[in-house]
Amino acid sequence: MKQVGIVGLGLIGGSLAKAYKRAETIRVLGDDKDRSIVDFALLAQAIDGALTDDELAGCDLILLATYPQGVIDWLTEKAHLLPKTATVVDCGGTKRRICEELFPLAARYGFTFVGGHPMAGHHQSGFKYSREDLFDGAPMVIVPPSFEDIHLYDKIDKLLKPVGFGRVSVITADQHDEIIAFSSQMAHVVSNAFIKSPTALKHRGFSAGSYQDLTRVAWLNPDMWAELFLENREDLLKEIDYFLSSMGQYRAAIESGDKAGLRALLDEGRLRKREVDGP
């Protein structure tokens, strides 16, 4: 691989750019809707130049690190400019609609599109928080257009290798969105809702690790997460309903003073944690 283009130079795109820059043989080009971010990335030596329409023809890999609608809009507009040798991977937080719309588009123009989701991040957003080692050892999830193309898996593995991912997993778009509703989106909903308690204003001096763990992702990018939640509304609503049902059981046990029932609920949660994550 000689040249990679990255669209969207926020936390994810900026970190991808810096990771590829570690490989001195790869030319890294970047684009962002905010031109000042491109200029800043150039000054920070995170990219070698701007990703213009003329430069697209020379890209072996293009990474789309924008919101889901931005991914769809950009590739729909630029598809006719991409060479058939190009591989495009998106980094959006949902996969179903992106893959439904862009697999046929890529097939029509002859290039390869693969859905992707780098499983690392930070509660702060923006290029200023990007770093070259953000994805070192982190999982990368991909949704291929075909699950029988072994050569594509090998190609994707080689294209992504400079980023430093620990493991590349293959999954369907539906499976991805179902799991991510629980593992990521629900965590942000709960954290963001929890911090709204009036008691939060009085917590200083009374809180420690459990408070920090639960509220870390309450500090989020509301524009991005609102779009992701609505993109995945059915799976996320299912998880919210599971959670509300469980909370109702805890509330009922506490309200009635049912110590045995409450202990059973707590022990059930403890054992489930060990089951899914280990001791």
Side-chain angles (χ1 to χ4, degrees):
M1 179 172 55
K2 297 180 180 180
Q3 182 165 293
V4 58
I6 299 173
V7 179
L9 294 173
L11 172 68
I12 300 301
S15 296
L16 288 168
K18 291 176 180 179
Y20 277 103
K21 277 288 287 180
R22 292 183 298 190
E24 297 181 358
T25 58
I26 299 175
R27 185 168 181 248
V28 181
L29 303 177
D31 185 25
D32 195 278
K33 62 182 180 180
D34 185 346
R35 177 66 202 192
S36 67
I37 299 298
V38 177
D39 294 337
F40 189 74
L42 280 165
L43 287 173
Q45 298 184 331
I47 59 175
D48 296 300
L51 179 62
T52 64
D53 287 355
D54 290 339
E55 293 281 11
L56 289 174
C59 289
D60 304 291
L61 172 66
I62 298 170
L63 295 161
L64 305 180
T66 65
Y67 301 173
Q69 188 60 53
V71 168
I72 293 169
D73 291 345
W74 188 93
L75 196 53
T76 300
E77 178 185 346
K78 307 291 186 181
H80 69 286
L81 300 174
L82 304 185
K84 293 184 178 181
T85 55
T87 298
V88 181
V89 180
D90 90 280
C91 301
T94 57
K95 296 273 78 75
R96 189 178 291 111
R97 188 165 74 92
I98 285 176
C99 291
E100 285 176 353
E101 295 199 26
L102 299 186
F103 284 155
L105 180 73
R108 185 158 72 247
Y109 285 95
F111 59 86
T112 300
F113 174 78
V114 174
H117 191 174
M119 302 306 298
H122 193 275
H123 62 282
Q124 300 278 14
S125 61
F127 180 81
K128 67 183 291 187
Y129 296 103
S130 63
R131 63 178 200 265
E132 67 176 31
D133 63 348
L134 181 65
F135 304 111
D136 285 357
M140 174 65 173
V141 179
I142 66 166
V143 179
S146 168
F147 285 82
E148 300 175 354
D149 191 343
I150 301 300
H151 296 294
L152 176 60
Y153 296 158
D154 183 61
K155 181 180 182 181
I156 294 297
D157 188 60
K158 290 177 180 177
L159 289 171
L160 296 177
K161 187 174 183 179
V163 182
F165 291 115
R167 178 184 178 187
V168 177
S169 300
V170 181
I171 198 170
T172 69
D174 286 342
Q175 290 171 330
H176 170 276
D177 287 3
E178 178 185 21
I179 295 170
I180 216 69
F182 167 75
S183 65
S184 177
Q185 294 177 351
M186 190 62 192
H188 285 77
V189 170
V190 172
S191 181
N192 198 263
F194 173 79
I195 199 65
K196 294 177 182 177
S197 167
T199 313
L201 297 171
K202 308 172 186 177
H203 86 86
R204 295 188 184 279
F206 296 87
S207 58
S210 56
Y211 168 83
Q212 295 295 337
D213 290 345
L214 185 55
T215 60
R216 181 180 65 83
V217 293
W219 184 268
L220 46 67
N221 180 332
D223 292 325
M224 180 184 76
W225 285 102
E227 181 172 333
L228 292 174
F229 291 166
L230 293 178
E231 280 280 336
N232 203 25
R233 61 171 59 86
E234 291 184 9
D235 287 322
L236 183 54
L237 285 172
K238 180 178 66 177
E239 292 300 333
I240 290 175
D241 288 343
Y242 288 153
F243 183 76
L244 291 176
S245 176
S246 290
M247 289 300 290
Q249 295 177 55
Y250 287 94
R251 190 187 192 287
I254 293 169
E255 183 179 39
S256 65
D258 181 4
K259 184 177 180 179
L262 180 59
R263 187 193 181 284
L265 288 170
L266 294 170
D267 197 45
E268 181 184 25
R270 180 183 67 87
L271 293 174
R272 175 56 66 90
K273 172 63 175 175
R274 184 173 68 180
E275 177 188 357
V276 299
D277 292 327

